[in-house]
PDB file of all heavy atoms in Angstrom:
ATOM      1  N   PHE A   1     194.523  50.390 100.888  1.00  0.00           N
ATOM      2  CA  PHE A   1     194.418  50.553 102.326  1.00  0.00           C
ATOM      3  C   PHE A   1     193.324  49.611 102.786  1.00  0.00           C
ATOM      4  O   PHE A   1     192.304  49.473 102.101  1.00  0.00           O
ATOM      5  CB  PHE A   1     194.080  52.007 102.658  1.00  0.00           C
ATOM      6  CG  PHE A   1     194.595  52.483 103.982  1.00  0.00           C
ATOM      7  CD1 PHE A   1     195.959  52.495 104.243  1.00  0.00           C
ATOM      8  CD2 PHE A   1     193.729  52.917 104.967  1.00  0.00           C
ATOM      9  CE1 PHE A   1     196.443  52.949 105.456  1.00  0.00           C
ATOM     10  CE2 PHE A   1     194.208  53.377 106.182  1.00  0.00           C
ATOM     11  CZ  PHE A   1     195.570  53.391 106.433  1.00  0.00           C
ATOM     12  N   PRO A   2     193.452  48.945 103.917  1.00  0.00           N
ATOM     13  CA  PRO A   2     192.503  47.884 104.272  1.00  0.00           C
ATOM     14  C   PRO A   2     191.114  48.363 104.680  1.00  0.00           C
ATOM     15  O   PRO A   2     190.187  47.550 104.776  1.00  0.00           O
ATOM     16  CB  PRO A   2     193.200  47.170 105.433  1.00  0.00           C
ATOM     17  CG  PRO A   2     194.113  48.193 106.023  1.00  0.00           C
ATOM     18  CD  PRO A   2     194.572  49.034 104.861  1.00  0.00           C
ATOM     19  N   VAL A   3     190.944  49.652 104.948  1.00  0.00           N
ATOM     20  CA  VAL A   3     189.626  50.189 105.318  1.00  0.00           C
ATOM     21  C   VAL A   3     189.329  51.386 104.418  1.00  0.00           C
ATOM     22  O   VAL A   3     190.240  51.967 103.818  1.00  0.00           O
ATOM     23  CB  VAL A   3     189.595  50.621 106.799  1.00  0.00           C
ATOM     24  CG1 VAL A   3     189.764  49.415 107.717  1.00  0.00           C
ATOM     25  CG2 VAL A   3     190.652  51.677 107.079  1.00  0.00           C
ATOM     26  N   PRO A   4     188.029  51.760 104.300  1.00  0.00           N
ATOM     27  CA  PRO A   4     187.710  52.926 103.464  1.00  0.00           C
ATOM     28  C   PRO A   4     188.383  54.193 103.978  1.00  0.00           C
ATOM     29  O   PRO A   4     188.557  54.388 105.183  1.00  0.00           O
ATOM     30  CB  PRO A   4     186.179  53.032 103.579  1.00  0.00           C
ATOM     31  CG  PRO A   4     185.730  51.671 103.997  1.00  0.00           C
ATOM     32  CD  PRO A   4     186.830  51.124 104.864  1.00  0.00           C
ATOM     33  N   ILE A   5     188.750  55.043 103.053  1.00  0.00           N
ATOM     34  CA  ILE A   5     189.351  56.338 103.378  1.00  0.00           C
ATOM     35  C   ILE A   5     188.355  57.440 103.025  1.00  0.00           C
ATOM     36  O   ILE A   5     187.777  57.439 101.937  1.00  0.00           O
ATOM     37  CB  ILE A   5     190.654  56.553 102.593  1.00  0.00           C
ATOM     38  CG1 ILE A   5     191.711  55.526 103.009  1.00  0.00           C
ATOM     39  CG2 ILE A   5     191.194  57.970 102.812  1.00  0.00           C
ATOM     40  CD1 ILE A   5     192.964  55.576 102.159  1.00  0.00           C
ATOM     41  N   LEU A   6     188.139  58.337 103.962  1.00  0.00           N
ATOM     42  CA  LEU A   6     187.333  59.529 103.717  1.00  0.00           C
ATOM     43  C   LEU A   6     188.283  60.701 103.541  1.00  0.00           C
ATOM     44  O   LEU A   6     189.140  60.952 104.397  1.00  0.00           O
ATOM     45  CB  LEU A   6     186.378  59.790 104.884  1.00  0.00           C
ATOM     46  CG  LEU A   6     185.432  58.644 105.264  1.00  0.00           C
ATOM     47  CD1 LEU A   6     184.552  59.053 106.438  1.00  0.00           C
ATOM     48  CD2 LEU A   6     184.564  58.241 104.079  1.00  0.00           C
ATOM     49  N   GLY A   7     188.142  61.391 102.431  1.00  0.00           N
ATOM     50  CA  GLY A   7     189.063  62.481 102.145  1.00  0.00           C
ATOM     51  C   GLY A   7     188.342  63.785 101.859  1.00  0.00           C
ATOM     52  O   GLY A   7     187.139  63.811 101.561  1.00  0.00           O
ATOM     53  N   GLN A   8     189.087  64.848 101.951  1.00  0.00           N
ATOM     54  CA  GLN A   8     188.568  66.185 101.676  1.00  0.00           C
ATOM     55  C   GLN A   8     189.689  67.012 101.055  1.00  0.00           C
ATOM     56  O   GLN A   8     190.826  66.968 101.520  1.00  0.00           O
ATOM     57  CB  GLN A   8     188.076  66.841 102.962  1.00  0.00           C
ATOM     58  CG  GLN A   8     187.404  68.190 102.769  1.00  0.00           C
ATOM     59  CD  GLN A   8     186.897  68.743 104.103  1.00  0.00           C
ATOM     60  OE1 GLN A   8     187.645  69.376 104.827  1.00  0.00           O
ATOM     61  NE2 GLN A   8     185.641  68.473 104.410  1.00  0.00           N
ATOM     62  N   ILE A   9     189.347  67.742  99.987  1.00  0.00           N
ATOM     63  CA  ILE A   9     190.307  68.674  99.387  1.00  0.00           C
ATOM     64  C   ILE A   9     189.850  70.088  99.693  1.00  0.00           C
ATOM     65  O   ILE A   9     188.694  70.458  99.401  1.00  0.00           O
ATOM     66  CB  ILE A   9     190.414  68.479  97.870  1.00  0.00           C
ATOM     67  CG1 ILE A   9     190.738  67.025  97.516  1.00  0.00           C
ATOM     68  CG2 ILE A   9     191.495  69.396  97.301  1.00  0.00           C
ATOM     69  CD1 ILE A   9     190.781  66.758  96.023  1.00  0.00           C
ATOM     70  N   ASN A  10     190.726  70.871 100.278  1.00  0.00           N
ATOM     71  CA  ASN A  10     190.448  72.274 100.553  1.00  0.00           C
ATOM     72  C   ASN A  10     191.254  73.145  99.593  1.00  0.00           C
ATOM     73  O   ASN A  10     192.448  72.908  99.381  1.00  0.00           O
ATOM     74  CB  ASN A  10     190.806  72.620 102.000  1.00  0.00           C
ATOM     75  CG  ASN A  10     189.891  71.943 102.991  1.00  0.00           C
ATOM     76  OD1 ASN A  10     188.713  72.251 103.056  1.00  0.00           O
ATOM     77  ND2 ASN A  10     190.429  70.995 103.751  1.00  0.00           N
ATOM     78  N   LEU A  11     190.595  74.139  99.031  1.00  0.00           N
ATOM     79  CA  LEU A  11     191.210  75.043  98.061  1.00  0.00           C
ATOM     80  C   LEU A  11     191.360  76.422  98.677  1.00  0.00           C
ATOM     81  O   LEU A  11     190.428  76.952  99.288  1.00  0.00           O
ATOM     82  CB  LEU A  11     190.347  75.104  96.806  1.00  0.00           C
ATOM     83  CG  LEU A  11     190.797  75.966  95.620  1.00  0.00           C
ATOM     84  CD1 LEU A  11     190.158  75.453  94.326  1.00  0.00           C
ATOM     85  CD2 LEU A  11     190.437  77.443  95.793  1.00  0.00           C
ATOM     86  N   THR A  12     192.532  77.006  98.515  1.00  0.00           N
ATOM     87  CA  THR A  12     192.754  78.407  98.888  1.00  0.00           C
ATOM     88  C   THR A  12     193.369  79.131  97.704  1.00  0.00           C
ATOM     89  O   THR A  12     194.022  78.521  96.850  1.00  0.00           O
ATOM     90  CB  THR A  12     193.668  78.535 100.116  1.00  0.00           C
ATOM     91  OG1 THR A  12     194.930  77.918  99.837  1.00  0.00           O
ATOM     92  CG2 THR A  12     193.040  77.884 101.338  1.00  0.00           C
ATOM     93  N   PHE A  13     193.168  80.440  97.660  1.00  0.00           N
ATOM     94  CA  PHE A  13     193.702  81.249  96.560  1.00  0.00           C
ATOM     95  C   PHE A  13     194.359  82.490  97.117  1.00  0.00           C
ATOM     96  O   PHE A  13     193.758  83.227  97.913  1.00  0.00           O
ATOM     97  CB  PHE A  13     192.592  81.639  95.583  1.00  0.00           C
ATOM     98  CG  PHE A  13     193.058  82.539  94.469  1.00  0.00           C
ATOM     99  CD1 PHE A  13     193.987  82.091  93.548  1.00  0.00           C
ATOM    100  CD2 PHE A  13     192.582  83.842  94.345  1.00  0.00           C
ATOM    101  CE1 PHE A  13     194.446  82.912  92.525  1.00  0.00           C
ATOM    102  CE2 PHE A  13     193.019  84.674  93.323  1.00  0.00           C
ATOM    103  CZ  PHE A  13     193.957  84.204  92.413  1.00  0.00           C
ATOM    104  N   ALA A  14     195.606  82.738  96.706  1.00  0.00           N
ATOM    105  CA  ALA A  14     196.347  83.944  97.095  1.00  0.00           C
ATOM    106  C   ALA A  14     196.625  84.761  95.841  1.00  0.00           C
ATOM    107  O   ALA A  14     197.444  84.356  95.013  1.00  0.00           O
ATOM    108  CB  ALA A  14     197.646  83.571  97.791  1.00  0.00           C
ATOM    109  N   PRO A  15     195.936  85.893  95.638  1.00  0.00           N
ATOM    110  CA  PRO A  15     196.129  86.671  94.408  1.00  0.00           C
ATOM    111  C   PRO A  15     197.492  87.321  94.349  1.00  0.00           C
ATOM    112  O   PRO A  15     198.099  87.640  95.373  1.00  0.00           O
ATOM    113  CB  PRO A  15     195.011  87.723  94.495  1.00  0.00           C
ATOM    114  CG  PRO A  15     194.723  87.858  95.950  1.00  0.00           C
ATOM    115  CD  PRO A  15     194.954  86.498  96.544  1.00  0.00           C
ATOM    116  N   ASP A  16     197.985  87.498  93.120  1.00  0.00           N
ATOM    117  CA  ASP A  16     199.258  88.189  92.872  1.00  0.00           C
ATOM    118  C   ASP A  16     199.097  89.048  91.625  1.00  0.00           C
ATOM    119  O   ASP A  16     199.787  88.880  90.636  1.00  0.00           O
ATOM    120  CB  ASP A  16     200.393  87.186  92.694  1.00  0.00           C
ATOM    121  CG  ASP A  16     201.730  87.862  92.413  1.00  0.00           C
ATOM    122  OD1 ASP A  16     201.933  88.983  92.902  1.00  0.00           O
ATOM    123  OD2 ASP A  16     202.546  87.273  91.673  1.00  0.00           O
ATOM    124  N   ALA A  17     198.158  89.965  91.676  1.00  0.00           N
ATOM    125  CA  ALA A  17     197.878  90.848  90.552  1.00  0.00           C
ATOM    126  C   ALA A  17     198.372  92.255  90.868  1.00  0.00           C
ATOM    127  O   ALA A  17     198.645  92.595  92.018  1.00  0.00           O
ATOM    128  CB  ALA A  17     196.378  90.874  90.257  1.00  0.00           C
ATOM    129  N   VAL A  18     198.476  93.088  89.837  1.00  0.00           N
ATOM    130  CA  VAL A  18     198.825  94.495  90.053  1.00  0.00           C
ATOM    131  C   VAL A  18     197.785  95.147  90.946  1.00  0.00           C
ATOM    132  O   VAL A  18     198.106  95.907  91.876  1.00  0.00           O
ATOM    133  CB  VAL A  18     198.926  95.231  88.708  1.00  0.00           C
ATOM    134  CG1 VAL A  18     199.157  96.728  88.941  1.00  0.00           C
ATOM    135  CG2 VAL A  18     200.052  94.654  87.859  1.00  0.00           C
ATOM    136  N   ASN A  19     196.522  94.861  90.665  1.00  0.00           N
ATOM    137  CA  ASN A  19     195.412  95.281  91.513  1.00  0.00           C
ATOM    138  C   ASN A  19     194.802  94.018  92.113  1.00  0.00           C
ATOM    139  O   ASN A  19     193.865  93.446  91.551  1.00  0.00           O
ATOM    140  CB  ASN A  19     194.381  96.064  90.700  1.00  0.00           C
ATOM    141  CG  ASN A  19     194.948  97.362  90.156  1.00  0.00           C
ATOM    142  OD1 ASN A  19     195.238  98.288  90.908  1.00  0.00           O
ATOM    143  ND2 ASN A  19     195.145  97.434  88.843  1.00  0.00           N
ATOM    144  N   PRO A  20     195.355  93.518  93.233  1.00  0.00           N
ATOM    145  CA  PRO A  20     194.987  92.191  93.731  1.00  0.00           C
ATOM    146  C   PRO A  20     193.552  92.118  94.223  1.00  0.00           C
ATOM    147  O   PRO A  20     193.008  93.074  94.765  1.00  0.00           O
ATOM    148  CB  PRO A  20     195.986  91.959  94.870  1.00  0.00           C
ATOM    149  CG  PRO A  20     196.392  93.325  95.308  1.00  0.00           C
ATOM    150  CD  PRO A  20     196.360  94.172  94.082  1.00  0.00           C
ATOM    151  N   SER A  21     192.967  90.960  94.007  1.00  0.00           N
ATOM    152  CA  SER A  21     191.617  90.687  94.484  1.00  0.00           C
ATOM    153  C   SER A  21     191.394  89.190  94.457  1.00  0.00           C
ATOM    154  O   SER A  21     191.928  88.487  93.590  1.00  0.00           O
ATOM    155  CB  SER A  21     190.572  91.385  93.601  1.00  0.00           C
ATOM    156  OG  SER A  21     189.255  90.986  93.961  1.00  0.00           O
ATOM    157  N   ASP A  22     190.622  88.699  95.403  1.00  0.00           N
ATOM    158  CA  ASP A  22     190.203  87.305  95.325  1.00  0.00           C
ATOM    159  C   ASP A  22     189.365  87.134  94.066  1.00  0.00           C
ATOM    160  O   ASP A  22     188.760  88.087  93.563  1.00  0.00           O
ATOM    161  CB  ASP A  22     189.379  86.937  96.560  1.00  0.00           C
ATOM    162  CG  ASP A  22     189.062  85.446  96.624  1.00  0.00           C
ATOM    163  OD1 ASP A  22     189.806  84.653  96.017  1.00  0.00           O
ATOM    164  OD2 ASP A  22     188.073  85.083  97.277  1.00  0.00           O
ATOM    165  N   ASP A  23     189.355  85.904  93.535  1.00  0.00           N
ATOM    166  CA  ASP A  23     188.565  85.603  92.342  1.00  0.00           C
ATOM    167  C   ASP A  23     187.568  84.515  92.710  1.00  0.00           C
ATOM    168  O   ASP A  23     187.948  83.350  92.873  1.00  0.00           O
ATOM    169  CB  ASP A  23     189.479  85.139  91.214  1.00  0.00           C
ATOM    170  CG  ASP A  23     188.730  84.921  89.906  1.00  0.00           C
ATOM    171  OD1 ASP A  23     187.485  85.011  89.916  1.00  0.00           O
ATOM    172  OD2 ASP A  23     189.378  84.665  88.876  1.00  0.00           O
ATOM    173  N   PRO A  24     186.282  84.859  92.858  1.00  0.00           N
ATOM    174  CA  PRO A  24     185.297  83.838  93.244  1.00  0.00           C
ATOM    175  C   PRO A  24     185.144  82.731  92.227  1.00  0.00           C
ATOM    176  O   PRO A  24     184.599  81.675  92.540  1.00  0.00           O
ATOM    177  CB  PRO A  24     183.999  84.643  93.409  1.00  0.00           C
ATOM    178  CG  PRO A  24     184.215  85.893  92.625  1.00  0.00           C
ATOM    179  CD  PRO A  24     185.672  86.187  92.698  1.00  0.00           C
ATOM    180  N   ALA A  25     185.627  82.944  90.999  1.00  0.00           N
ATOM    181  CA  ALA A  25     185.567  81.885  89.986  1.00  0.00           C
ATOM    182  C   ALA A  25     186.542  80.761  90.296  1.00  0.00           C
ATOM    183  O   ALA A  25     186.426  79.667  89.736  1.00  0.00           O
ATOM    184  CB  ALA A  25     185.848  82.449  88.599  1.00  0.00           C
ATOM    185  N   VAL A  26     187.521  81.013  91.170  1.00  0.00           N
ATOM    186  CA  VAL A  26     188.463  79.964  91.570  1.00  0.00           C
ATOM    187  C   VAL A  26     187.765  79.079  92.589  1.00  0.00           C
ATOM    188  O   VAL A  26     187.675  79.418  93.781  1.00  0.00           O
ATOM    189  CB  VAL A  26     189.758  80.555  92.149  1.00  0.00           C
ATOM    190  CG1 VAL A  26     190.698  79.436  92.589  1.00  0.00           C
ATOM    191  CG2 VAL A  26     190.444  81.456  91.142  1.00  0.00           C
ATOM    192  N   GLN A  27     187.251  77.969  92.135  1.00  0.00           N
ATOM    193  CA  GLN A  27     186.521  77.056  92.992  1.00  0.00           C
ATOM    194  C   GLN A  27     186.397  75.710  92.276  1.00  0.00           C
ATOM    195  O   GLN A  27     186.816  75.569  91.123  1.00  0.00           O
ATOM    196  CB  GLN A  27     185.124  77.601  93.312  1.00  0.00           C
ATOM    197  CG  GLN A  27     184.243  77.812  92.093  1.00  0.00           C
ATOM    198  CD  GLN A  27     182.834  78.233  92.462  1.00  0.00           C
ATOM    199  OE1 GLN A  27     182.233  77.699  93.389  1.00  0.00           O
ATOM    200  NE2 GLN A  27     182.305  79.222  91.747  1.00  0.00           N
ATOM    201  N   PHE A  28     185.818  74.736  92.953  1.00  0.00           N
ATOM    202  CA  PHE A  28     185.585  73.445  92.323  1.00  0.00           C
ATOM    203  C   PHE A  28     184.354  73.524  91.427  1.00  0.00           C
ATOM    204  O   PHE A  28     183.460  74.357  91.633  1.00  0.00           O
ATOM    205  CB  PHE A  28     185.402  72.361  93.380  1.00  0.00           C
ATOM    206  CG  PHE A  28     186.648  72.063  94.157  1.00  0.00           C
ATOM    207  CD1 PHE A  28     186.759  72.436  95.493  1.00  0.00           C
ATOM    208  CD2 PHE A  28     187.727  71.419  93.561  1.00  0.00           C
ATOM    209  CE1 PHE A  28     187.908  72.175  96.213  1.00  0.00           C
ATOM    210  CE2 PHE A  28     188.885  71.148  94.274  1.00  0.00           C
ATOM    211  CZ  PHE A  28     188.977  71.536  95.605  1.00  0.00           C
ATOM    212  N   SER A  29     184.318  72.667  90.430  1.00  0.00           N
ATOM    213  CA  SER A  29     183.186  72.663  89.492  1.00  0.00           C
ATOM    214  C   SER A  29     181.879  72.304  90.177  1.00  0.00           C
ATOM    215  O   SER A  29     180.800  72.609  89.666  1.00  0.00           O
ATOM    216  CB  SER A  29     183.454  71.683  88.343  1.00  0.00           C
ATOM    217  OG  SER A  29     183.697  70.373  88.842  1.00  0.00           O
ATOM    218  N   THR A  30     181.970  71.669  91.347  1.00  0.00           N
ATOM    219  CA  THR A  30     180.770  71.337  92.112  1.00  0.00           C
ATOM    220  C   THR A  30     180.308  72.502  92.979  1.00  0.00           C
ATOM    221  O   THR A  30     179.284  72.412  93.650  1.00  0.00           O
ATOM    222  CB  THR A  30     181.041  70.109  92.999  1.00  0.00           C
ATOM    223  OG1 THR A  30     182.263  70.321  93.730  1.00  0.00           O
ATOM    224  CG2 THR A  30     181.170  68.851  92.168  1.00  0.00           C
ATOM    225  N   GLY A  31     181.069  73.600  92.982  1.00  0.00           N
ATOM    226  CA  GLY A  31     180.735  74.772  93.783  1.00  0.00           C
ATOM    227  C   GLY A  31     181.525  74.807  95.079  1.00  0.00           C
ATOM    228  O   GLY A  31     181.728  73.778  95.737  1.00  0.00           O
ATOM    229  N   GLY A  32     181.982  75.981  95.444  1.00  0.00           N
ATOM    230  CA  GLY A  32     182.707  76.140  96.694  1.00  0.00           C
ATOM    231  C   GLY A  32     184.164  75.726  96.596  1.00  0.00           C
ATOM    232  O   GLY A  32     184.663  75.315  95.543  1.00  0.00           O
ATOM    233  N   ARG A  33     184.849  75.827  97.726  1.00  0.00           N
ATOM    234  CA  ARG A  33     186.284  75.563  97.789  1.00  0.00           C
ATOM    235  C   ARG A  33     186.615  74.369  98.680  1.00  0.00           C
ATOM    236  O   ARG A  33     187.710  74.267  99.231  1.00  0.00           O
ATOM    237  CB  ARG A  33     187.024  76.820  98.255  1.00  0.00           C
ATOM    238  CG  ARG A  33     186.927  77.952  97.229  1.00  0.00           C
ATOM    239  CD  ARG A  33     187.724  79.175  97.608  1.00  0.00           C
ATOM    240  NE  ARG A  33     187.762  80.120  96.485  1.00  0.00           N
ATOM    241  CZ  ARG A  33     188.387  81.294  96.520  1.00  0.00           C
ATOM    242  NH1 ARG A  33     189.034  81.674  97.620  1.00  0.00           N
ATOM    243  NH2 ARG A  33     188.374  82.077  95.448  1.00  0.00           N
ATOM    244  N   ARG A  34     185.661  73.459  98.776  1.00  0.00           N
ATOM    245  CA  ARG A  34     185.885  72.229  99.521  1.00  0.00           C
ATOM    246  C   ARG A  34     185.122  71.119  98.826  1.00  0.00           C
ATOM    247  O   ARG A  34     183.965  71.300  98.417  1.00  0.00           O
ATOM    248  CB  ARG A  34     185.416  72.378 100.968  1.00  0.00           C
ATOM    249  CG  ARG A  34     185.564  71.123 101.819  1.00  0.00           C
ATOM    250  CD  ARG A  34     185.139  71.395 103.250  1.00  0.00           C
ATOM    251  NE  ARG A  34     185.989  72.402 103.886  1.00  0.00           N
ATOM    252  CZ  ARG A  34     185.771  72.886 105.108  1.00  0.00           C
ATOM    253  NH1 ARG A  34     184.710  72.491 105.806  1.00  0.00           N
ATOM    254  NH2 ARG A  34     186.594  73.782 105.618  1.00  0.00           N
ATOM    255  N   VAL A  35     185.768  69.966  98.689  1.00  0.00           N
ATOM    256  CA  VAL A  35     185.116  68.834  98.051  1.00  0.00           C
ATOM    257  C   VAL A  35     185.524  67.560  98.783  1.00  0.00           C
ATOM    258  O   VAL A  35     186.679  67.415  99.216  1.00  0.00           O
ATOM    259  CB  VAL A  35     185.472  68.747  96.547  1.00  0.00           C
ATOM    260  CG1 VAL A  35     186.938  68.460  96.337  1.00  0.00           C
ATOM    261  CG2 VAL A  35     184.613  67.719  95.838  1.00  0.00           C
ATOM    262  N   ASN A  36     184.566  66.639  98.962  1.00  0.00           N
ATOM    263  CA  ASN A  36     184.802  65.389  99.664  1.00  0.00           C
ATOM    264  C   ASN A  36     184.940  64.232  98.678  1.00  0.00           C
ATOM    265  O   ASN A  36     184.385  64.268  97.573  1.00  0.00           O
ATOM    266  CB  ASN A  36     183.661  65.087 100.633  1.00  0.00           C
ATOM    267  CG  ASN A  36     183.540  66.133 101.723  1.00  0.00           C
ATOM    268  OD1 ASN A  36     184.528  66.602 102.270  1.00  0.00           O
ATOM    269  ND2 ASN A  36     182.307  66.510 102.039  1.00  0.00           N
ATOM    270  N   PHE A  37     185.664  63.214  99.095  1.00  0.00           N
ATOM    271  CA  PHE A  37     185.794  62.007  98.274  1.00  0.00           C
ATOM    272  C   PHE A  37     185.984  60.807  99.186  1.00  0.00           C
ATOM    273  O   PHE A  37     186.251  60.938 100.396  1.00  0.00           O
ATOM    274  CB  PHE A  37     186.966  62.118  97.288  1.00  0.00           C
ATOM    275  CG  PHE A  37     188.323  62.218  97.936  1.00  0.00           C
ATOM    276  CD1 PHE A  37     189.043  61.080  98.283  1.00  0.00           C
ATOM    277  CD2 PHE A  37     188.895  63.461  98.200  1.00  0.00           C
ATOM    278  CE1 PHE A  37     190.298  61.164  98.880  1.00  0.00           C
ATOM    279  CE2 PHE A  37     190.151  63.557  98.790  1.00  0.00           C
ATOM    280  CZ  PHE A  37     190.850  62.402  99.136  1.00  0.00           C
ATOM    281  N   THR A  38     185.838  59.624  98.624  1.00  0.00           N
ATOM    282  CA  THR A  38     186.111  58.383  99.344  1.00  0.00           C
ATOM    283  C   THR A  38     186.987  57.483  98.481  1.00  0.00           C
ATOM    284  O   THR A  38     186.920  57.530  97.253  1.00  0.00           O
ATOM    285  CB  THR A  38     184.812  57.630  99.696  1.00  0.00           C
ATOM    286  OG1 THR A  38     184.116  57.305  98.487  1.00  0.00           O
ATOM    287  CG2 THR A  38     183.912  58.466 100.591  1.00  0.00           C
ATOM    288  N   ILE A  39     187.816  56.696  99.149  1.00  0.00           N
ATOM    289  CA  ILE A  39     188.562  55.623  98.492  1.00  0.00           C
ATOM    290  C   ILE A  39     188.129  54.329  99.171  1.00  0.00           C
ATOM    291  O   ILE A  39     188.327  54.171 100.383  1.00  0.00           O
ATOM    292  CB  ILE A  39     190.078  55.810  98.605  1.00  0.00           C
ATOM    293  CG1 ILE A  39     190.514  57.117  97.924  1.00  0.00           C
ATOM    294  CG2 ILE A  39     190.821  54.629  97.986  1.00  0.00           C
ATOM    295  CD1 ILE A  39     192.002  57.409  98.034  1.00  0.00           C
ATOM    296  N   PRO A  40     187.487  53.419  98.452  1.00  0.00           N
ATOM    297  CA  PRO A  40     186.987  52.196  99.103  1.00  0.00           C
ATOM    298  C   PRO A  40     188.124  51.341  99.653  1.00  0.00           C
ATOM    299  O   PRO A  40     189.277  51.458  99.226  1.00  0.00           O
ATOM    300  CB  PRO A  40     186.234  51.487  97.971  1.00  0.00           C
ATOM    301  CG  PRO A  40     186.828  52.019  96.718  1.00  0.00           C
ATOM    302  CD  PRO A  40     187.214  53.429  97.009  1.00  0.00           C
ATOM    303  N   ALA A  41     187.794  50.497 100.613  1.00  0.00           N
ATOM    304  CA  ALA A  41     188.784  49.581 101.178  1.00  0.00           C
ATOM    305  C   ALA A  41     189.442  48.784 100.051  1.00  0.00           C
ATOM    306  O   ALA A  41     188.770  48.290  99.146  1.00  0.00           O
ATOM    307  CB  ALA A  41     188.117  48.637 102.176  1.00  0.00           C
ATOM    308  N   ASN A  42     190.765  48.702 100.118  1.00  0.00           N
ATOM    309  CA  ASN A  42     191.576  47.986  99.118  1.00  0.00           C
ATOM    310  C   ASN A  42     191.500  48.616  97.733  1.00  0.00           C
ATOM    311  O   ASN A  42     191.922  48.012  96.753  1.00  0.00           O
ATOM    312  CB  ASN A  42     191.179  46.508  99.048  1.00  0.00           C
ATOM    313  CG  ASN A  42     191.346  45.809 100.384  1.00  0.00           C
ATOM    314  OD1 ASN A  42     192.384  45.946 101.033  1.00  0.00           O
ATOM    315  ND2 ASN A  42     190.310  45.081 100.804  1.00  0.00           N
TER     316      ASN A  42
END
């Protein structure tokens, strides 16, 4: 792409357990459920 790209990945989790619950361990290794990245021009 001719210009830099700024990106973001958002993570969501929908449990499907017999006793459903969110799992806080489901996240990025950097912490949280959102992570930013860049792709340099070209």
